[in-house]
Amino acid sequence: MPNQLVIIGAGFAGIWSAFAAKRLAQLTNNTANLEVLIIAPEPSLVIRPRLYEANPSTMQHDLTALFQSLDVKYLQGLATTISPSTHTITMQPPTGSPLTIPYDRLILAAGSTIHYPPSVPGLSTHAFNIDTLPSATTLSTHLANLPTLPASPARSTIVIIGAGFTGIELATSLPSRLSQLHLPQPQIILIDSAPTIASSLGPSFNPTITKALTSLHITLHLNTTLTSITPTSVTLSSGVPIPTNTVIWTAGVRATPLTHQLPSKKDPLSRLHVDAYLRVPDVSDIYATGDAACAVADEKGHVALMSCQHALQMGRVSGHNAAAELLGEPLVEYTQETYVCCLDLGDWGAVVGEGWERRASLVGDVAKRVKRYINCPLIYPLGTPEEVLGDAAPTGRNSGELLRMILGRVA
């Protein structure tokens, strides 16, 4: 019987793990010796980096034909239990009883989920988010219905909690979206507990982000937290109540809860610490990748971020290595020495930063064109099956080289 490589998750890290594994099997004439199985709720890639945009229901890419052409098996359902001692997982299909699936190697690529602090009354009940396709679609439907509500300050006020990457991209996209919905005199308020805007992105981005927020008439409250939320208002740590029908939480995610089933060290985001090959050191025959992994990305000790950029490369490495162990081939160390951060700023433009310190190198329209190219088509698994397998190599162009290529295409 062929070796069984099971992958939990069909996000960026999950699918590229599968493609990288199939690539190695094909290159080594071992296709008969390796079966690759993906377990996920749907056979589609949700383009999560685009869920802040309008029409989020369209932000998915069907993978059925590609899976079939590459002989990647797919099983619909939700993985619920990992049992390292028996080398099995339990999954729940859409109907019927749970199934037990054996594995020879397992790749945990189940991503991350929104984290609601339990200390804020009403948060999980009344706040919207854009963490998943259904939740982003729910928010989009809600925004479209706002003009039909009776005129009030609450109807026209949108409060976003979290002025990090996601919060800023969402906030700066809303003026255009709300204008198209003909919502009269909208007010967008962005709130963060940090003393500076986008503190995690570094100081180089701050002047550009501030300029964009001012241009788009977005109100910013720093050093501020949310203390409670109702269907018609929020109360801030300053004691000030704000009437609003729309509160959106973008203040953080945690790795899949499945990481807590493995007896291994985790970081504060619940990510599993992994070795240089993305193996979970304390658990036999299991890899973690993408948002589920806390992985060192370079010799300076920088840790991979919960980002599409890192998930793509980590997926390629984890898939290659899991297959390589089963097929007796050399493993490849995960490395991602360069980092490019591209932040959308709505109608104002965008900003691109290079390096882990995120030196702002492009702003405005050129940066916006770079961002659009990244969001479509760069992160989609496009092309012929042969081209997709070619793109699945665990080593290739780094982020800096990709940026130069993108600039050559969009200039």
Side-chain angles (χ1 to χ4, degrees), residues 38-92:
I38 285 182
I39 297 173
E42 298 291 340
S44 60
L45 173 65
V46 175
I47 312 301
R48 201 176 183 192
R50 298 188 63 188
L51 293 183
Y52 69 93
E53 298 181 30
N55 303 315
S57 61
T58 66
M59 305 303 176
Q60 58 182 332
H61 182 75
D62 185 73
L63 297 166
T64 305
L66 188 56
F67 284 168
Q68 292 175 347
S69 63
L70 295 177
D71 193 28
V72 172
K73 310 299 182 184
Y74 168 73
L75 191 58
Q76 185 174 24
L78 189 67
T80 57
T81 306
I82 302 174
S83 301
S85 60
T86 60
H87 278 60
T88 61
I89 68 168
T90 302
M91 57 89 62
Q92 178 61 57

Side-chain angles (χ1 to χ4, degrees), residues 154-197:
R155 179 188 74 168
S156 299
T157 303
I158 315 295
V159 177
I160 300 171
I161 312 297
F165 199 101
T166 302
I168 291 169
E169 291 202 320
L170 176 62
T172 54
S173 76
L174 284 176
S176 174
R177 292 177 64 177
L178 297 175
S179 175
Q180 294 172 10
L181 294 172
H182 305 292
L183 181 67
Q185 299 179 315
Q187 182 183 17
I188 301 167
I189 301 174
L190 186 58
I191 296 171
D192 200 274
S193 60
T196 57
I197 183 72

Side-chain angles (χ1 to χ4, degrees), residues 82 108-116 252-274 280 287-295 303-306 314:
I82 302 174
L108 180 56
S112 57
T113 57
I114 197 79
H115 175 67
Y116 287 127
V253 297
R254 295 290 184 272
T256 168
L258 290 172
T259 62
H260 292 286
Q261 297 189 15
L262 302 179
S264 192
K265 184 180 178 182
K266 302 165 191 69
D267 75 351
L269 299 177
S270 298
R271 299 184 298 180
L272 290 159
H273 284 264
V274 293
V280 182
Y287 287 74
T289 193
D291 286 1
C294 177
V303 175
L305 302 175
M306 285 180 159
M314 292 169 74

Side-chain angles (χ1 to χ4, degrees), residues 205-226:
F205 274 31
N206 289 0
T208 301
I209 295 171
T210 300
K211 186 182 297 183
L213 295 179
T214 300
S215 174
L216 295 169
H217 306 290
I218 295 169
T219 302
L220 179 64
H221 291 289
L222 297 172
N223 283 313
T224 303
T225 58
L226 180 69

